[in-house]
Amino acid sequence: MKITDLLKLDTILIDLQSETKLGVIEELSAKLAQAGRLHDEGGFKAAILKREEQSTTGIGEGIAIPHAKTSAVKTPAICFGKSVSGIQYESLDGQPAHLFFMIAASEAANQVHLETLSRLSSLLMDAQFRSQLVSATSAEEVLEIIDQKEQEAVQDENEEQETSAIRDAAKILAVTACPTGIAHTYMAADALKAKAKEMGLDFKVETNGSTGVKNRLNPAEIANADVIIVAADKQVEMDRFDGKRVIIVPVAHGLRKPEELLKRAVNRDAPIYKGTKKDSREDEPSTKGKIDIYKHLMNGVSNMLPFVVGGGILIALSFFFGLDASDPTKPEYNPIAKALSDIGGGTSGAFFFLVPVLAGFIASSIADRPGFAPGMVGGLLAAQANAGFIGGLIAGFLAGYVVLGLKKLFSNLPQAFEGIKPVLLYPVFGMLITGLIMLFVINEPVTALNQGLSNWLQGLSGTNAVLLGMILAGMMAVDMGGPINKAAFTFGIAAIEAQSFGPHAAVMAGGMVPPLAIAFATTFFKSKFNDTERKSGLTNYFMGAFFITEGAIPFAAADPFRVIISSVIGAATAGALTMAFNVTLPAPHGGVFVIPLVNHPFLYLLAILIGSLISGLILGFWKRKQN
């Protein structure tokens, strides 16, 4: 399949009207919807924005490739947009983007579609090709340029395969992988290949994309390699590199720093990798274990979040019929309220899966797929024992490291046992060991601890409640999406699971303040910001309203001292007011969309606005005027 089979005249915008990142996403999404490529335009935009939260798709060199694979897509397609003047898109190199390729992949997209999308990502590494697209004056010319370039690329690929077939082994190897496996995976691979060719290096790269593993490194190549570069933002098969020198970096480094990585490889500036998926090195200390704990926790929290959000909102909706409307024994009983409550919570609703899903995905992040089932079972046992969120955390890490231990224990079994390890040995022994430890060691003390936490949260009042709200909300503004922010958010979810809805109201208020404060400051103190910042400030009205704290990050990066301090002060104020007003929030996400579900919506809005205005005023008066 050719790229021009997915990119058509009716999905090309030769002159984008948008001036912001969000505007570009909306304009391109609308074009796809107008062309009949989407089932659900809103659902598709939500999927695109969710992908942007992971990392920006503004890859630099004037290119942005927003992409998503979702059921909202009716027909796999590419939408092209061009802006000659350029649009600030939070690109990796900080430069405006001129060329936009929005990739819409359906959940049923086959391998041919995904390979075609990957080929587009590769072509964009050619500077001359990009220049031709920027100069194009019509949709027809865009298609002609792409078609001609693709024909040249296919011919080059065929020549490369012929050369590769007669090559004995590569001396420098690489693996690239990104979370979605559509764009960054292949662009990083091509950047490394191009630089390796320029440097005259014997090089091979394996890609772990949506279509599976391509150009897989074979055992002979690995054995003969001097150094292996792993540029990945998701888990890849690492045990095969045991004993080799391995450079482990994010996939963006492969795209932006190929020469630096290859020079490190040439100089053998890389630690020795130890197997069992631990980054244990012989020749240097490592802090990766600490980073991994955060990564594992976030893997559990992110996969658990849809259950918490969906369940929390459904439970909150049941309250519209009365606080006790879901109880058949009460006079105000309403069957619709009971249905909403049962679906959202109950003994088999969304909220019931919160702890098992958290534990299962933490365990699978640690031990890959074999850890999932033991983690789910450990989490289920914690949930049934009322060990709560804390029990789920312990179950997830316990199951993950139990399975890692089993992998090491069973590593010396004969080759004939390889096939039964994942379907028999790991699940049976993993569930058994995890379950026994949870039942006889963990559950009882953690249940008592969880009950104590619940009692403490329920008993908070006055100064204590205000202080807690101040701390949690302030934490949300410290690193705006980083570990401190996520720690506060996780505490808020734990409080919701413990049926205490006040702390998370403070958490969400604190997370909404930084982008709203930026928006206010850029509106009322225009002379303190340049034109680009003022335009980005308008976007922050929406990001703040939607509880996307990360909208303030570009401003914090440019002026961290003023932005962070002013944001923390305003966020802490909002959190304190929220707790002082006794606001409760049963839904953990949604921004303005879930404010109608709180018990005091106008007071909650007032707290957020006061905090945002305080931050905006501090920043506006404190910041220096632009020259």
Side-chain angles (χ1 to χ4, degrees):
M1 176 177 282
K2 298 167 61 178
I3 292 172
T4 47
D5 290 332
L6 298 176
L7 176 65
K8 299 291 186 180
L9 291 174
D10 61 352
T11 59
I12 294 177
L13 286 166
I14 203 68
D15 184 17
L16 285 169
Q17 301 302 305
S18 304
E19 297 181 347
T20 65
K21 176 177 180 176
L22 183 60
V24 169
I25 290 173
E26 291 178 344
E27 191 172 351
L28 295 178
S29 298
K31 187 66 172 176
L32 284 170
Q34 182 183 354
R37 306 302 200 274
L38 304 179
H39 285 300
D40 177 6
E41 182 182 349
F44 177 70
K45 282 193 292 188
I48 289 285
L49 292 173
K50 183 177 180 181
R51 171 61 186 87
E52 292 294 329
E53 289 177 8
Q54 296 176 355
S55 61
T56 181
T57 55
I59 60 174
E61 306 293 348
I63 307 166
I65 310 181
H67 55 273
K69 184 178 180 183
T70 168
S71 59
V73 175
K74 180 179 181 181
T75 305
I78 300 171
C79 185
F80 170 79
K82 187 186 73 167
S83 171
V84 175
S85 59
I87 296 167
Q88 288 298 332
Y89 199 88
E90 301 172 11
S91 300
L92 293 175
D93 59 3
Q95 298 302 311
H98 299 273
L99 302 175
F100 302 86
F101 288 87
M102 176 170 280
I103 296 173
S106 64
E107 284 192 337
N110 59 33
Q111 185 168 330
V112 175
H113 286 134
L114 295 171
E115 286 178 346
T116 305
L117 299 175
S118 303
R119 192 182 310 124
L120 169 64
S121 303
S122 301
L123 298 183
L124 289 168
M125 297 308 298
D126 187 327
Q128 184 178 357
F129 176 57
R130 297 195 301 267
S131 178
Q132 289 176 329
L133 289 174
V134 171
S135 302
T137 58
S138 68
E140 291 81 3
E141 187 178 354
V142 168
L143 291 178
E144 183 180 346
I145 291 169
I146 292 174
D147 192 48
Q148 181 179 350
K149 180 63 180 177
E150 187 173 21
Q151 291 179 24
E152 295 173 0
V154 170
Q155 183 177 350
D156 291 342
E157 286 175 7
N158 293 335
E159 292 175 357
E160 183 179 346
Q161 289 175 0
E162 292 175 4
T163 304
S164 177
I166 60 173
R167 187 174 58 198
D168 291 334
K171 296 299 182 182
I172 298 176
L173 306 179
V175 178
T176 61
C178 71
T180 53
I182 292 178
H184 290 66
T185 298
Y186 302 97
M187 300 188 79
D190 284 327
L192 287 166
K193 281 194 295 186
K195 185 56 66 174
K197 184 176 181 180
E198 180 184 315
M199 296 170 67
L201 300 177
D202 195 2
F203 179 78
K204 178 180 176 180
V205 58
E206 168 188 303
T207 55
N208 285 233
S210 292
T211 59
V213 175
K214 298 294 181 183
N215 211 26
R216 180 182 285 276
L217 307 178
N218 64 51
E221 290 168 332
I222 294 171
N224 285 287
D226 295 319
V227 176
I228 300 158
I229 300 167
V230 178
D233 287 338
K234 72 173 185 177
Q235 195 164 359
V236 297
E237 186 183 344
M238 294 294 294
D239 280 349
R240 54 188 167 153
F241 304 141
D242 186 30
K244 304 299 294 186
R245 292 190 176 274
V246 180
I247 300 170
I248 302 175
V249 295
V251 68
H253 286 208
L255 178 61
R256 305 303 309 165
K257 303 177 181 179
E259 184 173 5
E260 176 184 319
L261 292 175
L262 290 169
K263 284 182 178 179
R264 283 186 61 188
V266 169
N267 296 327
R268 298 195 177 193
D269 177 17
I272 302 296
Y273 183 81
K274 291 295 185 180
T276 66
K277 297 184 175 62
K278 292 181 181 178
D279 191 31
S280 172
R281 283 104 182 232
E282 288 181 356
D283 54 353
E284 70 176 15
S286 173
T287 59
K288 189 174 183 290
K290 296 177 182 178
I291 298 172
D292 278 349
I293 290 174
Y294 172 71
K295 182 190 76 174
H296 302 324
L297 174 62
M298 286 303 103
N299 190 58
V301 170
S302 62
N303 283 284
M304 174 197 70
L305 195 57
F307 293 87
V308 185
V309 174
I313 291 177
L314 289 172
I315 293 170
L317 289 173
S318 73
F319 293 155
F320 280 133
F321 297 89
L323 293 177
D324 296 316
S326 60
D327 187 346
T329 64
K330 300 292 184 180
E332 57 186 307
Y333 169 70
N334 184 292
I336 297 177
K338 186 177 187 326
L340 291 170
S341 181
D342 288 347
I343 296 169
T347 57
S348 58
F351 245 62
F352 180 77
F353 291 100
L354 185 158
V355 172
V357 168
L358 171 71
F361 280 98
I362 288 175
S364 65
S365 178
I366 295 169
D368 210 351
R369 189 174 298 175
F372 184 73
M376 283 287 289
V377 170
L380 180 63
L381 293 172
Q384 290 175 334
N386 293 318
F389 192 85
I390 299 173
L393 290 176
I394 295 173
F397 283 101
L398 172 64
Y401 287 111
V402 162
V403 173
L404 279 187
L406 291 173
K407 287 185 175 184
K408 188 171 183 180
L409 179 65
F410 296 144
S411 63
N412 295 321
L413 289 177
Q415 183 67 26
F417 285 87
E418 286 300 314
I420 67 169
K421 284 181 183 179
V423 296
L424 177 63
L425 299 182
Y426 296 147
V428 170
F429 287 98
M431 290 180 191
L432 177 64
I433 296 171
T434 302
L436 289 174
I437 294 175
M438 291 300 298
L439 286 173
F440 296 107
V441 179
I442 303 296
N443 277 351
E444 187 174 346
V446 174
T447 299
L449 177 63
N450 188 59
Q451 186 60 48
L453 175 62
S454 298
N455 293 337
W456 175 69
L457 288 171
Q458 297 292 348
L460 279 176
S461 61
T463 303
N464 291 334
V466 170
L467 182 60
L468 178 64
M470 184 184 300
I471 293 171
L472 289 174
M475 289 172 66
M476 290 295 292
V478 170
D479 54 359
M480 303 177 189
I484 297 175
N485 171 284
K486 290 297 187 290
F489 185 77
T490 302
F491 183 91
I493 292 177
I496 289 177
E497 199 271 338
Q499 300 299 301
S500 179
F501 303 124
H504 200 78
V507 166
M508 194 167 85
M512 293 172 71
V513 163
L516 289 175
I518 293 294
F520 288 145
T522 54
T523 299
F524 299 121
F525 298 89
K526 293 184 178 181
S527 63
K528 304 292 184 76
F529 300 90
N530 60 40
D531 185 59
T532 300
E533 289 173 330
R534 288 194 293 271
K535 291 177 180 178
S536 297
L538 293 175
T539 304
N540 273 269
Y541 278 112
F542 298 98
M543 301 189 82
F546 299 158
F547 184 32
I548 303 175
T549 315
E550 290 82 350
I553 288 178
F555 292 85
D559 190 1
F561 188 69
R562 294 182 179 87
V563 171
I564 292 175
I565 289 179
S566 59
S567 294
V568 169
I569 293 172
T573 302
L577 289 172
T578 294
M579 295 297 274
F581 294 153
N582 196 30
V583 173
T584 58
L585 174 67
H589 214 294
V592 294
F593 294 109
V594 297
I595 286 180
L597 302 179
V598 305
N599 58 337
H600 303 302
F602 294 109
L603 289 177
Y604 193 37
L605 279 173
L606 181 63
I608 294 169
L609 288 173
I610 289 174
S612 301
L613 286 170
I614 288 174
S615 286
L617 289 171
I618 293 174
L619 178 61
F621 284 117
W622 194 359
K623 195 171 177 64
R624 296 175 181 174
K625 285 187 177 181
Q626 294 287 312
N627 294 327

